[in-house]
Amino acid sequence: MTSQVRGSQLARLLGQWHALPGRRRSPDYAALAAAVRGLLADGRLPLGVRLPAERELAEALRISRTTVTAAYRQLRESGHLASRRGAGSWTMLPGTHRVASTGLWTPLDDRDMIDLGVAALSAPPQLVVAARAAAEDLPRYLSGAGYHPTGIIELREAVAHAYTARGLPTSPEQIMVTSGTQHALDLVLRLALSPGGGVLVESPTYPNALAALSARRARITTHGLAIDGPGWDADLLLGSIRQARPKLAYLIPEFQNPTGHLMETGLRERLVGAAHAAGTDLVIDESFVDLPLDGTPLPPPVALFDRHSRVISIGGMSKPYWGGLRIGWVRASAPQVQRLAAARVGVDMASPVLDQLVAVHLLAEAPSIVAARQAQLADQRDALVRALAERLPDWRVAVPRGGVTLWAELDGPISSALARAAEEVGVRLAPGPRFGLDGTLERFLRLPFTLPAADLVEAVGRLAAVRYDLDRTGRPQWREPSVIA
């Protein structure tokens, strides 16, 4: 059944809709329609939601019904609203959209777009060599059925060896191979979280993790991160665990996405102790653990301090290697791995054998591949930081010591408006509210440095021009936005 938003709820989401840049050059109905599209653009108004009746919204906004009627008409004409007599009006997308690899709905004509909504690198040159070698290894698996719910032994051994090399002794029985890190998180949630269970997350955090938690109908509480300094407030984080006693806490301690923070050793140890006392399981996302920059030393894994099987670590190949290689893993106790494998049978049975063999060969070349990635990312990060300092000096950025993203504090609560306007000049952004729960974070913007330096510099130049225009005149005619589906 289609959900419905009440007039008072939509009015609260719209906020100061009539005070958007360019308001004085647009009639009220156009400003209202643009504000509704803006809610769709930053994901605060889902698709398929029935909007309030025209009279109800007019009363909630204290405007004339004629204005609402005209706004709804414009939304229907742009393809963002469908209406049927007697059934109401509900949100939708124009027919010229598709689902991109980011999970966002994007326009079809985006060939010239500089995409800063994706924080991932292109494939390394070693991938082709690894794929050829994997094809030569494949025949020895062809006599079997091909189902390996926990993963082929060569890959589990390679991943276990990597954990052991980080100071965390690990056996292959503690590793389960998955179809990417997001799949690993989904399986862990299926096993460890009942619908309606409490979960603590950082704010901001990874949007697709929030989507997975929402799918489990989790009760989410947040711990806010500072833009600079250590990021986590130790007393507040540990206090939240002790007081709320969530079933799970999902955290990204290595170069947190999107802020880039690195959790210090002492807090890692205290975190595990607090989780054990509260009965909370820790899901530690290590997606960026292979990408320290500038020689930054890594603290020991959070799981090193675990004595009671409270820590489940997840990771994968997407960030240091390639997103198209859908290989991830879970590190947990051997009994937990077996329970995960049993739960997996009802989802996808097993990961592709050929992809796993490719991963084995890439991991064998990890030192050279990762070193090249680190050098590439450091150069691109520095180019992005220099461009921001030159063209947008009022933006505040803490330079991360690893990972792939900057978390920029803007000079006003303009993140979603900037993202919409940037589409006009060929730059796709992921605005701050996508990384939170409640529509806040409008003063922040995630900027990945995974594209070539020249593209990053060009993107910043376009953003600087757009930022200037937001303060001067009305924006151009609405262009179809990237929308969370």
Side-chain angles (χ1 to χ4, degrees):
M1 184 172 65
T2 302
S3 59
Q4 181 173 6
V5 59
R6 297 192 298 273
S8 58
Q9 294 172 324
L10 183 55
R12 186 169 61 252
L13 287 172
L14 288 166
Q16 298 298 318
W17 61 272
H18 53 282
L20 293 174
R23 156 66 184 90
R24 296 183 183 280
R25 294 174 177 263
S26 302
D28 281 351
Y29 75 86
L32 178 56
V36 172
R37 287 190 294 255
L39 293 177
L40 286 167
D42 67 21
R44 284 188 281 164
L45 187 61
L47 300 176
V49 170
R50 190 166 65 189
L51 296 187
E54 295 170 0
R55 185 184 302 278
E56 180 185 355
L57 183 58
E59 292 176 353
L61 295 176
R62 298 181 180 178
I63 59 178
S64 72
R65 182 178 175 180
T66 302
T67 299
V68 177
T69 300
Y72 278 18
R73 181 174 61 250
Q74 189 175 92
L75 289 168
R76 285 191 293 271
E77 291 172 352
S78 66
H80 293 86
L81 197 65
S83 300
R84 189 167 67 245
R85 186 178 298 276
S89 301
W90 57 95
T91 56
M92 58 179 292
L93 284 173
T96 57
H97 284 64
R98 62 176 173 83
V99 179
S101 59
T102 57
L104 306 179
W105 288 86
T106 61
L108 288 171
D109 55 344
D110 61 355
R111 289 184 297 273
D112 298 325
M113 187 73 65
I114 300 177
D115 194 347
L116 296 183
V118 178
L121 293 160
S122 58
Q126 294 91 336
L127 181 62
V128 173
V129 177
R132 289 172 179 157
E136 294 178 359
D137 292 342
L138 185 60
R140 69 173 183 266
Y141 280 92
L142 298 181
S143 60
Y147 296 123
H148 302 271
T150 58
I152 63 174
I153 186 61
E154 293 101 318
L155 183 52
R156 291 162 61 204
E157 288 175 341
V159 175
H161 175 74
Y163 276 106
T164 301
R166 291 171 56 201
L168 178 62
T170 302
S171 68
E173 290 72 28
Q174 292 177 268
I175 301 297
M176 176 181 178
V177 178
T178 64
S179 299
T181 310
Q182 184 71 17
H183 181 224
L185 175 60
D186 182 75
L187 288 173
V188 169
L189 295 181
R190 288 172 183 268
L191 179 69
L193 186 66
S194 300
V199 180
L200 174 70
V201 302
E202 298 142 334
S203 179
T205 192
Y206 180 46
N208 289 339
L210 293 175
L213 291 169
S214 296
R216 298 295 298 170
R217 301 197 299 277
R219 291 183 294 104
I220 303 175
T221 57
T222 60
H223 169 71
L225 299 180
I227 188 173
D228 50 16
W232 296 267
D233 185 306
D235 291 338
L236 288 178
L237 175 60
L238 302 179
S240 296
I241 292 176
R242 295 187 186 108
Q243 295 170 21
R245 305 178 74 88
K247 182 65 180 68
L248 292 178
Y250 168 79
L251 304 171
I252 312 173
E254 281 90 19
F255 313 117
Q256 199 264 352
N257 183 9
T259 66
H261 290 308
L262 179 63
M263 185 182 290
E264 54 94 14
T265 302
L267 179 54
R268 293 171 184 238
E269 184 172 10
R270 295 172 64 193
L271 175 64
V272 174
H276 173 60
T280 298
D281 291 327
L282 299 176
V283 181
I284 302 299
D285 189 336
E286 298 183 317
S287 293
F288 303 94
V289 72
D290 292 316
L291 298 175
L293 307 180
D294 310 320
T296 298
L298 282 177
V302 173
L304 181 67
F305 305 104
D306 183 27
R307 300 293 182 271
H308 305 281
S309 298
R310 286 288 181 192
V311 177
I312 299 175
S313 304
I314 61 176
M317 308 286 287
S318 295
K319 300 307 179 184
Y321 297 93
W322 188 46
L325 185 65
R326 302 309 302 151
I327 294 294
W329 50 76
V330 178
R331 184 207 179 270
S333 68
Q336 287 173 318
V337 166
Q338 291 304 311
R339 289 196 294 273
L340 283 167
R344 179 183 195 164
V345 171
V347 180
D348 72 340
M349 301 293 288
S351 296
V353 171
L354 185 58
D355 288 17
Q356 294 183 70
L357 290 171
V358 173
V360 169
H361 286 280
L362 287 175
L363 290 175
E365 300 295 325
S368 60
I369 295 175
V370 171
R373 297 302 226 187
Q374 291 168 337
Q376 173 188 356
L377 286 169
D379 289 343
Q380 291 169 185
R381 177 204 60 189
D382 295 345
L384 177 58
V385 170
R386 287 193 299 270
L388 289 170
E390 178 181 347
R391 300 300 303 274
L392 291 161
D394 292 333
W395 290 13
R396 181 166 162 249
V397 175
V399 180
R401 294 177 290 164
V404 300
T405 61
L406 297 178
W407 185 238
E409 184 177 1
L410 311 182
D411 54 337
I414 58 168
S415 185
S416 294
L418 183 68
R420 294 193 295 272
E423 289 271 340
E424 298 285 349
V425 295
V427 179
R428 179 165 298 127
L429 300 174
R434 287 185 178 154
F435 300 86
L437 284 174
D438 51 9
T440 58
L441 302 175
E442 279 287 4
R443 291 186 65 90
F444 296 92
L445 182 68
R446 189 187 75 170
L447 295 171
F449 42 90
T450 49
L451 295 178
D455 289 346
L456 296 174
V457 172
E458 173 65 22
V460 171
R462 297 182 192 182
L463 292 179
V466 166
R467 178 66 190 96
Y468 178 65
D469 287 343
L470 284 180
D471 284 338
R472 290 177 63 245
T473 62
R475 292 190 299 274
Q477 188 69 27
W478 175 262
R479 185 181 190 275
E480 308 301 356
S482 299
V483 182
I484 292 179

